[in-house]
Amino acid sequence: MNTMKKILMIAIVLAMSTMAMAQSVGEVIDKYKSLDNAESMTLTKDMLSMMTAMAQNSKDLDAEARESMEMMKNIEQMTTLQVKEADAATATTLMSDMRKALSKGYEITTDMQEDNESVVIAIKKKKKKDNHASEVVIVAKEEKETVVVYIIGKIDMDKIGNLMNMTKD
């Protein structure tokens, strides 16, 4: 019986340490952006505001583009990670790490798998009934490239839906 208690305690400690080692989306991006074949870019709220102001003053933008830029006003930060020419193990591990991170508090809205390609789109909401996401994560894995887009802010899901409808035409 004493041995059984020890085994149970070891199992509990291992399970807790595994949960403690779980990474957030930002931590996964930080882990992979140091790879030689990775490119990463983070745009802060200040830079996004500046881009929005410049775009609003441009006479070359149509209504659709202005709507897109208007949505950026509520974004706090946008980070992209692109891993090119990754070996299969790296691409698989990155996708696995992202799926683990997304399993904690995110709602998977799209999960598409076809051949060696996959796309996952996930959102995190502060309030379940609210139609605003606080985070949007898009992960696209192709044969030789994986791209992660991570957006933090107050993202109006109705406006994103409208924008997607406009791009279909």
Side-chain angles (χ1 to χ4, degrees):
M1 191 68 149
N2 200 14
T3 305
M4 195 66 140
K5 284 183 183 178
K6 286 181 185 177
I7 291 171
L8 183 59
M9 286 302 279
I10 290 170
I12 290 171
V13 169
L14 286 173
M16 289 175 69
S17 66
T18 301
M19 288 190 306
M21 290 181 357
Q23 297 176 321
S24 70
V25 171
E27 290 170 330
V28 172
I29 290 171
D30 287 344
K31 175 181 172 182
Y32 287 90
K33 73 180 182 184
S34 62
L35 295 175
D36 289 338
N37 54 343
E39 295 177 9
S40 176
M41 177 177 62
T42 298
L43 299 174
T44 63
K45 183 170 185 65
D46 290 338
M47 178 55 100
L48 291 167
S49 294
M50 188 172 73
M51 290 170 57
T52 301
M54 288 171 38
Q56 294 297 343
N57 295 330
S58 172
K59 293 179 176 108
D60 297 331
L61 292 180
D62 59 9
E64 183 179 328
R66 288 186 196 282
E67 178 76 17
S68 300
M69 296 308 290
E70 188 66 30
M71 286 176 35
M72 291 176 66
K73 285 183 178 178
N74 295 321
I75 295 175
E76 297 293 325
Q77 177 178 319
M78 183 169 72
T79 302
T80 61
L81 170 70
Q82 181 178 20
V83 181
K84 297 179 183 177
E85 300 296 327
D87 58 73
T90 301
T92 301
T93 305
L94 171 55
M95 192 63 162
S96 175
D97 287 349
M98 287 304 299
R99 284 186 181 278
K100 286 176 192 169
L102 294 175
S103 71
K104 294 160 193 65
Y106 290 86
E107 175 188 341
I108 306 293
T109 60
T110 304
D111 192 347
M112 191 265 324
Q113 307 265 335
E114 185 178 321
D115 301 325
N116 278 342
E117 299 178 0
S118 56
V119 175
V120 176
I121 301 174
I123 61 172
K124 182 182 268 188
K125 293 182 176 182
K126 290 186 178 179
K127 298 175 187 172
K128 292 285 183 197
K129 299 284 183 186
D130 191 8
N131 203 32
H132 289 85
S134 59
E135 297 178 28
V136 175
V137 181
I138 303 167
V139 184
K141 177 185 157 292
E142 294 180 346
E143 188 175 339
K144 294 186 176 189
E145 181 177 50
T146 303
V147 176
V148 179
V149 178
Y150 180 39
I151 303 169
I152 302 170
K154 187 175 182 180
I155 299 112
D156 186 330
M157 299 310 290
D158 286 332
K159 285 187 178 180
I160 288 179
N162 291 342
L163 184 62
M164 292 177 85
N165 286 334
M166 281 193 285
T167 59
K168 287 181 183 178
D169 297 331

